[in-house]
Amino acid sequence: MNLWQRYQKHLVRYTDLGISLDVSRMTFPDDFFTKMKPLTDKAFAEMKKLEAGAIANPDEKRMVGHYWLRNFGLAPSPELRTGIESDIAQSKAFADEIHAGNIVAERGGRFTRLLIVGIGGSALGPQFITDALVNSWDAPLKTHFFDNTDPDGLQRVLADIGADLNRTLTVVISKSGGTPETRNGMLEAKAAYERAGLDFSKHAVAVTGTAANGITSKLEAYANEHKWLKIFPMTDWVGGRTSVMHTVGLVPMALQGVDVDSLLAGASAMDEKTRSLPVEQNAAMLLALMWHHAGGGKGAKDMVILPYKDRLVLLSKYLQQLVMESLGKELDLDGNKVNQGIAVYGNKGSTDQHAYVQQLRDGVNNFFATFIEVRKSASGPQLEVEPATTCGDFLQGFLRGTRKALYENGRESVTISVPGVNAYVVGAIVALFERAVGYYATLVNINAYHQPGVEAGKKAAGDFLKILTNVRAQLVKAGSATADEVASAIGADAEEVYHCLVHLAANEAHVAQSLGKTPGDDRFTLETHA
């Protein structure tokens, strides 16, 4: 079969959505779908149970309901359906009040800027949507993010906001209110408002777990105590990496003027296709199968995301969390050690062709590419940069050329084509990958909906902070010491103690570090005792 015939055979076109998936440049054998049928049948069955409200996350004993967010009629109880419908309506209504100037800043005047404080999915989802769909020149609110606990990064954002802080609305997003990065960002924001003589509570909105949803949230308690402008609820059946269509994403989207209804409709339309169509017409199942084929069901190859559109540059970061946090698991559902996962990276075309595509073409063959083609190059007239040739023509040429060059050297790829970048299409793209992740997890027998490794990292960070407190106290007591001396005194690991001491010396003016021949010889001195 020649490539043209193979393309026609393995192209899936959803003409009503304007979206297609081409898997013809994946070299799966002719009997691949037949051999995988027992697993794909199981994946369809498991997805049906999940959408019906089964306990899909046994570790946390909760349902997984992000599919209901764009079609609340699917939710398994009237209470859930009413809650989802209410969240959408309240998000849009609050944004309307802000845009109309019915809710104003403390010193009067409409809000003109938005500061979103979150981490992980609570930041990545809104960031992706903002970059893809919001025009900074005509958005009702110019948006900024606190998405880390880096003090330098926080100060850069505050400097960018500058004197407009008095007309900045801050949305703090955290299910529990105990996530350190988000809590720290909230405290930094609050301090900035207070330095400007402003009452933070008159500019603050919370998106958090609520008692009404059975979640104990420090943020809800704090927001209620200080009479914040609004509290939007989060539920326990939506995980962070699949929360962009929950209040986590709906509130920022609505405030920025994004067509929320269109985005949800695009996701729902993709869900309808990928919920019921058979394997060879099911774009989400085909993606999952291509991932399985490429990596031998063990994640042996990386997934490189290559969107040929600037507005989709953050898609790779968004998918990095969605795929890697969902599929990167040590144990399978039977308790066997499997160390599953698929590494995801990418930037955008054609920038990547002047960066790492050289290795993709000629280096180690440890990846498969996912091209994202946007058919409509621009919304307005295009300049002819060469006779009868535009920038958009060049971009299409680079996409097709890179795809061809990779295939000619034995490098596999899939291509997703969309008509343009709008709310409907972005919703469909998100839904496509969410379901592909769910299907793939069943194919390889893992739980896609928990994140024990993340929790382990949080615990280790907490342990380090406790050691840091003890190290600081011991240095105050001793006045001068090596890492070994401090470690012996407090009963801690010497290397952990050393890193604490170096951190103190770099950040606290009264702690000095004297270098020895080895780190063990370094001496740390409290200068007030010198």
Side-chain angles (χ1 to χ4, degrees):
M1 185 186 300
N2 64 35
L3 285 179
W4 171 233
Q5 291 172 328
R6 185 172 174 82
Y7 172 75
Q8 294 181 80
K9 179 178 180 180
H10 293 300
L11 177 69
V12 174
R13 290 196 291 188
Y14 297 153
T15 54
D16 50 339
L17 278 63
I19 296 174
S20 65
L21 171 66
D22 166 24
V23 298
S24 65
R25 268 50 176 184
M26 300 294 287
T27 57
F28 53 89
D30 291 340
D31 62 351
F32 180 62
F33 296 141
T34 301
K35 287 184 175 179
M36 294 296 292
K37 190 176 187 303
L39 287 176
T40 55
D41 285 348
K42 180 182 178 184
F44 282 132
E46 290 299 317
M47 183 65 73
K48 186 175 182 179
K49 292 178 186 176
L50 180 145
E51 289 194 297
I55 300 299
N57 193 342
D59 291 8
E60 301 172 14
K61 295 181 174 57
R62 63 177 175 85
M63 300 178 291
V64 174
H66 51 274
Y67 298 107
W68 310 330
L69 298 173
R70 51 262 199 169
N71 186 348
F72 52 79
L74 296 174
S77 73
E79 293 77 17
L80 290 176
R81 291 192 287 272
T82 300
I84 296 167
E85 189 175 17
S86 174
D87 290 344
I88 297 169
Q90 286 193 51
S91 298
K92 294 192 294 184
F94 179 74
D96 288 344
E97 292 286 286
I98 293 291
H99 298 160
N102 295 330
I103 299 174
V104 297
E106 178 184 1
R107 293 176 182 168
R110 296 172 189 252
F111 286 104
T112 59
R113 293 186 184 242
L114 174 65
L115 174 61
I116 298 172
V117 182
I119 193 73
S122 297
L124 271 171
Q127 282 175 321
F128 168 52
I129 296 297
T130 298
D131 202 51
L133 299 177
V134 179
N135 298 321
S136 60
W137 59 87
D138 65 359
L141 299 174
K142 183 177 181 181
T143 305
H144 310 264
F145 290 88
F146 277 3
D147 64 345
N148 200 0
T149 190
D150 174 11
D152 179 63
L154 302 177
Q155 291 304 314
R156 290 178 69 186
V157 173
L158 289 172
D160 192 23
I161 295 172
D164 287 340
L165 189 66
N166 67 329
R167 299 182 73 175
T168 298
L169 179 71
T170 293
V171 177
V172 183
I173 306 173
S174 175
K175 185 178 289 186
S176 68
T179 306
E181 296 93 334
T182 306
R183 180 206 60 204
N184 295 352
M186 181 194 75
L187 294 175
E188 291 277 5
K190 179 174 181 290
Y193 279 94
E194 290 173 348
R195 288 194 299 270
L198 297 165
D199 183 348
F200 179 56
S201 64
K202 290 181 170 58
H203 299 78
V205 172
V207 180
T208 188
T210 59
N213 284 331
I215 300 172
T216 301
S217 167
K218 296 176 182 177
L219 180 56
E220 182 189 27
Y222 187 87
N224 275 322
E225 179 186 353
H226 293 277
K227 297 180 173 58
W228 283 18
L229 293 174
K230 183 75 174 177
I231 300 174
F232 290 93
M234 294 173 69
T235 70
D236 67 347
W237 42 263
V238 178
R241 57 190 174 276
T242 55
S243 64
V244 72
M245 297 181 201
H246 192 22
T247 47
V248 168
L250 293 176
V251 174
M253 276 191 270
L255 286 168
Q256 294 174 90
V258 172
D259 187 344
V260 169
D261 292 330
S262 184
L263 186 134
L264 295 173
S268 179
M270 181 59 74
D271 282 344
E272 285 296 318
K273 301 286 189 186
T274 56
R275 175 182 296 116
S276 57
L277 287 173
V279 170
E280 294 187 57
Q281 300 170 35
N282 190 309
M285 182 61 81
L286 281 175
L287 273 183
L289 285 168
M290 294 306 102
W291 301 351
H292 193 283
H293 156 73
K298 298 183 182 300
K301 289 194 175 183
D302 302 341
M303 185 191 309
V304 182
I305 306 295
L306 293 166
Y308 276 69
K309 179 61 67 174
D310 285 2
R311 285 184 178 272
L312 296 180
V313 67
L314 293 184
L315 179 61
S316 59
K317 286 181 65 176
Y318 179 78
L319 294 179
Q320 195 171 63
Q321 183 191 19
L322 175 64
V323 174
M324 295 179 72
E325 193 168 77
S326 298
L327 303 181
K329 303 297 162 64
E330 181 180 29
L331 304 177
D332 68 11
L333 292 172
D334 300 318
N336 301 310
K337 189 171 183 178
V338 291
N339 297 115
Q340 275 285 354
I342 300 174
V344 179
Y345 65 92
N347 184 21
K348 66 181 180 181
S350 63
T351 298
D352 291 340
Q353 289 172 225
H354 299 269
Y356 57 78
V357 167
Q358 166 61 35
Q359 177 170 310
L360 300 187
R361 172 62 170 73
D362 293 342
V364 58
N365 189 1
N366 64 343
F367 73 96
F368 62 98
T370 300
F371 291 98
I372 311 292
E373 174 193 19
V374 179
R375 297 192 193 95
K376 183 71 171 176
S377 299
S379 56
Q382 296 186 62
L383 176 72
E384 291 187 6
V385 293
E386 289 186 6
T389 307
T390 67
C391 287
D393 296 333
F394 270 98
L395 193 64
Q396 175 68 193
F398 291 139
L399 187 159
R400 293 296 158 191
T402 302
R403 174 177 173 269
K404 181 178 180 181
L406 292 180
Y407 185 77
E408 288 177 345
N409 218 27
R411 316 305 162 102
E412 296 180 295
S413 69
V414 302
T415 301
I416 298 168
S417 299
V418 299
V421 180
N422 54 46
Y424 188 90
V425 166
V426 168
I429 290 173
V430 170
L432 172 63
F433 278 96
E434 284 182 347
R435 195 172 294 267
V437 164
Y439 283 151
Y440 182 87
T442 302
L443 296 182
V444 298
N445 195 38
I446 60 169
N447 180 357
Y449 307 108
H450 68 165
Q451 49 279 336
V454 175
E455 301 308 316
K458 289 179 182 178
K459 182 181 183 303
D463 292 342
F464 179 86
L465 291 172
K466 291 176 183 177
I467 294 172
L468 180 65
T469 299
N470 293 335
V471 167
R472 184 185 283 111
Q474 180 58 29
L475 187 61
V476 168
K477 180 178 180 181
S480 180
T482 65
D484 285 316
E485 290 167 351
V486 173
S488 178
I490 66 173
D493 177 78
E495 184 179 342
E496 290 277 4
V497 168
Y498 177 77
H499 293 309
C500 289
L501 289 166
V502 170
H503 175 76
L504 293 176
N507 290 279
E508 299 188 6
H510 57 284
V511 178
Q513 178 181 4
S514 300
L515 297 180
K517 290 183 178 180
T518 70
D521 296 325
D522 290 1
R523 181 159 289 276
F524 298 84
T525 302
L526 197 67
E527 293 190 326
T528 54
H529 288 104

